[in-house]
Amino acid sequence: MGLDVHARSVAAVSIDGVPGELLQARLSPDHDHIRSWIRQLPSPVAVTYEAGPTGFGLARILNADGIRCVVAAPSKLQRPAGDRVKTDAKDAVHPARLLRLDEVTGVVVPSVEQEAARDLVRAREDCRGDLMRARHRLSKLLLRHGIVYNGGQA
């Protein structure tokens, strides 16, 4: 099955193995809601969704439940030429079909500690960038008013 995961909703598409029948649903982003919907499907179930800003919590929960979950690298998903219409349902069907063909390139799901460290590093880099932009804005404002600081480090 394929998921198109967003902060407020999840589009889910399941492909039945034998007849190839599509089963679509609009789910809440609550992990328990997603798990309960997946449990209703005939076994075995494999799930895929694109890596994104929602993180890897869903993949960790599904893998811990014994449900194979592959987090797909968005840059590695092959898109058909000329396929420019984007809907949540189409974005869920495409990775589901690729997973069925075993054509999904997965990313490594980091541990909770690794993801927290990455978040901390990203937050620090953002703060440093904000500080540098503020310093440059202030120095250019002062320069436009003829104030130049020459006493060492700014």
Short mmCIF file of all heavy atoms in Angstrom, two decimals, residues 134-147:
data_model
loop_
_atom_site.label_atom_id
_atom_site.label_comp_id
_atom_site.label_asym_id
_atom_site.label_seq_id
_atom_site.Cartn_x
_atom_site.Cartn_y
_atom_site.Cartn_z
N ALA A 134 20.65 39.13 10.39
CA ALA A 134 20.34 40.32 11.21
C ALA A 134 21.57 41.21 11.33
O ALA A 134 21.46 42.44 11.23
CB ALA A 134 19.86 39.89 12.59
N ARG A 135 22.73 40.61 11.55
CA ARG A 135 23.98 41.41 11.63
C ARG A 135 24.24 42.15 10.32
O ARG A 135 24.61 43.33 10.33
CB ARG A 135 25.17 40.50 11.92
CG ARG A 135 25.31 40.10 13.35
CD ARG A 135 26.56 39.26 13.50
NE ARG A 135 26.76 38.88 14.88
CZ ARG A 135 27.69 38.04 15.27
NH1 ARG A 135 28.48 37.47 14.40
NH2 ARG A 135 27.82 37.75 16.54
N HIS A 136 24.06 41.45 9.19
CA HIS A 136 24.32 42.10 7.91
C HIS A 136 23.32 43.22 7.65
O HIS A 136 23.70 44.30 7.17
CB HIS A 136 24.25 41.07 6.78
CG HIS A 136 25.42 40.15 6.75
ND1 HIS A 136 25.34 38.88 6.27
CD2 HIS A 136 26.70 40.30 7.18
CE1 HIS A 136 26.52 38.28 6.39
NE2 HIS A 136 27.36 39.13 6.95
N ARG A 137 22.04 43.01 7.99
CA ARG A 137 21.05 44.07 7.81
C ARG A 137 21.40 45.30 8.64
O ARG A 137 21.33 46.43 8.18
CB ARG A 137 19.65 43.56 8.19
CG ARG A 137 18.97 42.77 7.11
CD ARG A 137 17.48 42.60 7.38
NE ARG A 137 17.20 41.91 8.63
CZ ARG A 137 17.08 40.60 8.78
NH1 ARG A 137 17.23 39.82 7.73
NH2 ARG A 137 16.82 40.07 9.95
N LEU A 138 21.80 45.06 9.91
CA LEU A 138 22.15 46.17 10.79
C LEU A 138 23.40 46.90 10.30
O LEU A 138 23.43 48.14 10.26
CB LEU A 138 22.37 45.67 12.23
CG LEU A 138 22.73 46.72 13.25
CD1 LEU A 138 21.63 47.78 13.36
CD2 LEU A 138 22.99 46.08 14.60
N SER A 139 24.43 46.14 9.89
CA SER A 139 25.66 46.80 9.43
C SER A 139 25.41 47.61 8.16
O SER A 139 25.97 48.69 7.99
CB SER A 139 26.78 45.78 9.22
OG SER A 139 26.51 44.95 8.11
N LYS A 140 24.56 47.10 7.26
CA LYS A 140 24.27 47.85 6.03
C LYS A 140 23.42 49.08 6.32
O LYS A 140 23.60 50.11 5.68
CB LYS A 140 23.56 46.95 5.00
CG LYS A 140 24.37 45.74 4.56
CD LYS A 140 25.80 46.09 4.21
CE LYS A 140 26.59 44.83 3.96
NZ LYS A 140 27.99 44.91 4.30
N LEU A 141 22.52 48.99 7.30
CA LEU A 141 21.74 50.16 7.70
C LEU A 141 22.67 51.24 8.25
O LEU A 141 22.57 52.42 7.88
CB LEU A 141 20.71 49.77 8.76
CG LEU A 141 19.96 50.93 9.42
CD1 LEU A 141 18.99 51.57 8.44
CD2 LEU A 141 19.26 50.49 10.67
N LEU A 142 23.58 50.84 9.13
CA LEU A 142 24.52 51.80 9.70
C LEU A 142 25.41 52.40 8.61
O LEU A 142 25.70 53.61 8.62
CB LEU A 142 25.36 51.13 10.79
CG LEU A 142 24.59 50.70 12.04
CD1 LEU A 142 25.50 49.93 12.98
CD2 LEU A 142 23.95 51.89 12.73
N LEU A 143 25.85 51.56 7.67
CA LEU A 143 26.71 52.03 6.58
C LEU A 143 25.97 53.06 5.73
O LEU A 143 26.55 54.08 5.33
CB LEU A 143 27.16 50.85 5.73
CG LEU A 143 28.12 51.16 4.58
CD1 LEU A 143 29.41 51.78 5.12
CD2 LEU A 143 28.42 49.91 3.79
N ARG A 144 24.68 52.85 5.45
CA ARG A 144 23.91 53.81 4.66
C ARG A 144 23.80 55.15 5.38
O ARG A 144 23.63 56.19 4.75
CB ARG A 144 22.50 53.26 4.39
CG ARG A 144 22.46 52.19 3.32
CD ARG A 144 21.04 51.90 2.85
NE ARG A 144 20.16 51.46 3.92
CZ ARG A 144 20.01 50.19 4.31
NH1 ARG A 144 20.69 49.24 3.71
NH2 ARG A 144 19.17 49.88 5.28
N HIS A 145 23.90 55.13 6.70
CA HIS A 145 23.84 56.38 7.48
C HIS A 145 25.23 56.90 7.83
O HIS A 145 25.35 57.79 8.66
CB HIS A 145 23.01 56.14 8.75
CG HIS A 145 21.56 55.96 8.46
ND1 HIS A 145 20.69 57.00 8.24
CD2 HIS A 145 20.80 54.83 8.30
CE1 HIS A 145 19.49 56.54 7.98
NE2 HIS A 145 19.54 55.21 8.00
N GLY A 146 26.24 56.33 7.21
CA GLY A 146 27.60 56.84 7.37
C GLY A 146 28.29 56.40 8.65
O GLY A 146 29.30 56.97 9.03
N ILE A 147 27.79 55.42 9.33
CA ILE A 147 28.40 54.94 10.57
C ILE A 147 29.20 53.68 10.25
O ILE A 147 28.64 52.67 9.83
CB ILE A 147 27.34 54.63 11.64
CG1 ILE A 147 26.51 55.89 11.92
CG2 ILE A 147 27.98 54.08 12.90
CD1 ILE A 147 25.28 55.64 12.78
#
